[in-house]
Amino acid sequence: MTSLSAPIEIIRPETIEFGSGTVAAVAKFARSIGALRPLVVADAFNAARVEVLALPGDVGVFGEVKPEPDVPNLEKALAVARATKPDLVVGFGGGSAMDLAKLVAVLCTGEQTLGDVVGPDKVAGRSVALVQVPTTSGTGSEGGIRALVTDPATRNKLAVQSRFMLADLAVVDPDLTMSVPPQVTAATGVDALAHCVEAFTSRKAHPTIDLYALEGTRLVGRYLGRAVKDGTDREARAALSLASLYGGFCLGPVNTTAGHAVAYPLGTRHHIAHGLACAVIFPHTLAFNMPSAEAKTGAVLEALGASATAKPSAAFDAAYQFCTKLGIEMRLSALGVPAEDLGAMADEAYAIRRLLDNNPRNIGRNDILGIYRAAM
């Protein structure tokens, strides 16, 4: 783990509005910049309630964001954007909507294509304003500079990273998450947890980010069960929105590790929702990494309400029970993953070096295959 003197770059949206009722800040911002043609990028559910944003002008809506969006989904959104010529793009939904909004904002003008910008710092610029409004508590995408879409040909995620995709304004209104059903609340909550825990135990972990990571973990440990039990629990919803935002803060300068790399093929190959995929894998990678991050793993377990332990098997049991108590299905076989596909999944996961190289413990292809088999 890095020292206090290790260099780090922390990038945040210029303005973050957090709290109940802050959704009104979206319209205020739009009016302040004189927006006449805002475009909202949303999933179907949020597209049907776009009036809560109270946007001025001739409002356009792309309401077809898919879970685990792919390149064709992005191209459809870009076609709408190029036809409507927005001066403001608003991501309204979960991480999928916000990721597509980032890419639409930087690609809807100019000559660059998706292929030109995949990777770090390849985006030439952005000429339209960007606002992000999360409606789930999971990805923290509103606070970051990365976006991912799936290439259907290779079934791999394409990652774009650029400071030009950082929102001018992030509006985190927990009231917008009240309608999220229990199963989605649980899975997205564990996604936020995974962001925090993976950053906390990463080779790139940094004291300035550890603060967010550990507090985000504590918030999930204390409040996720409450929100799953009662979706109208305003305090719990606010706590999870904050945990998600903190997880997003962790992603920028530190990023995730093996947990996300191993989870990605579940989404790209078998269309398992990202939060659910991360939840299934979380106990396995937590226990696997424990020999290289024992003290921090103990702190994670205590934040989740369990006892610190020196045994990876006990760490696995505690994390597994945390997830199962939330009602999360933790078996890949029950989620429709065939045993004969595990080898190909292990190959794909092992190739995601941008994440695996951050892992605190070296993890081989056979280790990944072992995790998949144990999760069946």
Side-chain angles (χ1 to χ4, degrees):
M1 309 308 170
T2 56
S3 68
L4 283 166
S5 61
I8 190 168
E9 182 181 43
I10 299 175
I11 305 172
R12 299 281 182 272
E14 182 176 348
T15 303
I16 299 174
E17 295 274 359
F18 181 93
S20 297
T22 53
V23 68
V26 179
K28 182 179 178 181
F29 174 82
R31 289 192 297 269
S32 74
I33 65 170
L36 300 175
R37 298 179 308 280
L39 173 66
V40 180
V41 178
D43 57 272
F45 174 80
N46 285 298
R49 59 169 181 168
V50 75
E51 71 280 353
V52 303
L53 301 175
L55 288 163
D58 185 10
V59 181
V61 179
F62 175 77
E64 300 178 46
V65 174
K66 297 164 45 177
E68 302 292 325
D70 55 17
V71 174
N73 199 208
L74 171 62
E75 292 298 336
K76 288 183 72 173
L78 283 170
V80 172
R82 288 164 180 153
T84 57
K85 295 180 170 56
D87 46 16
L88 166 64
V89 174
V90 180
F92 186 42
S96 297
M98 291 188 285
D99 278 10
L100 280 198
K102 291 176 185 177
L103 292 168
V104 166
V106 298
L107 294 176
C108 70
T109 59
E111 300 298 322
Q112 285 190 302
T113 66
L114 176 64
D116 296 327
V117 299
V118 172
D121 304 319
K122 295 182 180 180
V123 175
R126 170 164 60 87
S127 59
V128 302
L130 176 62
V131 173
Q132 298 283 25
V133 187
T135 62
T136 63
S137 299
T139 69
S141 182
E142 67 274 8
I145 60 172
R146 291 190 179 94
L148 291 90
V149 290
T150 299
D151 180 348
T154 64
R155 292 194 282 194
N156 290 327
K157 283 186 180 284
L158 304 176
V160 180
Q161 174 183 315
S162 172
R163 64 183 62 239
F164 292 115
M165 296 196 303
L166 189 68
D168 299 302
L169 170 68
V171 177
V172 186
D173 187 337
D175 291 354
L176 296 173
T177 70
M178 294 283 190
S179 58
V180 179
Q183 287 184 322
V184 179
T185 297
T188 54
V190 178
D191 185 24
L193 172 65
H195 292 162
C196 293
V197 171
E198 290 177 45
F200 187 53
T201 56
S202 169
R203 291 177 194 239
K204 294 182 180 178
H206 196 283
T208 61
I209 299 303
D210 285 354
L211 293 168
Y212 293 115
L214 190 54
E215 182 59 19
T217 302
R218 288 182 181 131
L219 288 168
V220 173
R222 181 175 178 183
Y223 290 100
L224 182 53
R226 279 176 50 176
V228 170
K229 183 178 181 180
D230 178 7
T232 65
D233 185 332
R234 181 168 269 119
E235 181 182 37
R237 289 296 192 183
L240 294 178
S241 291
L242 189 58
S244 179
L245 183 63
Y246 284 173
F249 288 171
C250 293
L251 294 182
V254 176
N255 209 1
T256 53
T257 60
H260 270 63
V262 177
Y264 279 157
L266 302 181
T268 56
R269 297 181 70 88
H270 300 290
H271 309 292
I272 296 171
H274 175 67
L276 178 56
C278 287
V280 172
I281 297 302
F282 173 68
H284 297 273
T285 50
L286 182 73
F288 177 86
N289 287 331
M290 189 176 187
S292 297
E294 184 176 321
K296 284 194 167 185
T297 303
V300 167
L301 295 174
E302 290 177 338
L304 296 179
S307 299
T309 176
K311 297 180 179 179
S313 60
F316 173 86
D317 289 342
Y320 191 88
Q321 289 170 17
F322 178 82
C323 293
T324 55
K325 285 180 180 178
L326 297 168
I328 298 173
E329 174 54 67
M330 298 293 287
R331 294 170 299 132
L332 293 180
S333 57
L335 297 173
V337 177
E340 57 268 24
D341 201 37
L342 300 186
M345 289 165 52
D347 291 337
E348 289 187 5
Y350 184 65
I352 307 175
R353 304 315 309 176
R354 65 184 180 84
L355 302 184
L356 294 185
D357 288 346
N358 299 338
N359 205 56
R361 181 183 175 192
N362 290 335
I363 183 168
R365 185 261 185 193
N366 287 338
D367 296 317
I368 295 171
L369 181 59
I371 287 174
Y372 287 143
R373 286 172 172 164
M376 285 296 287

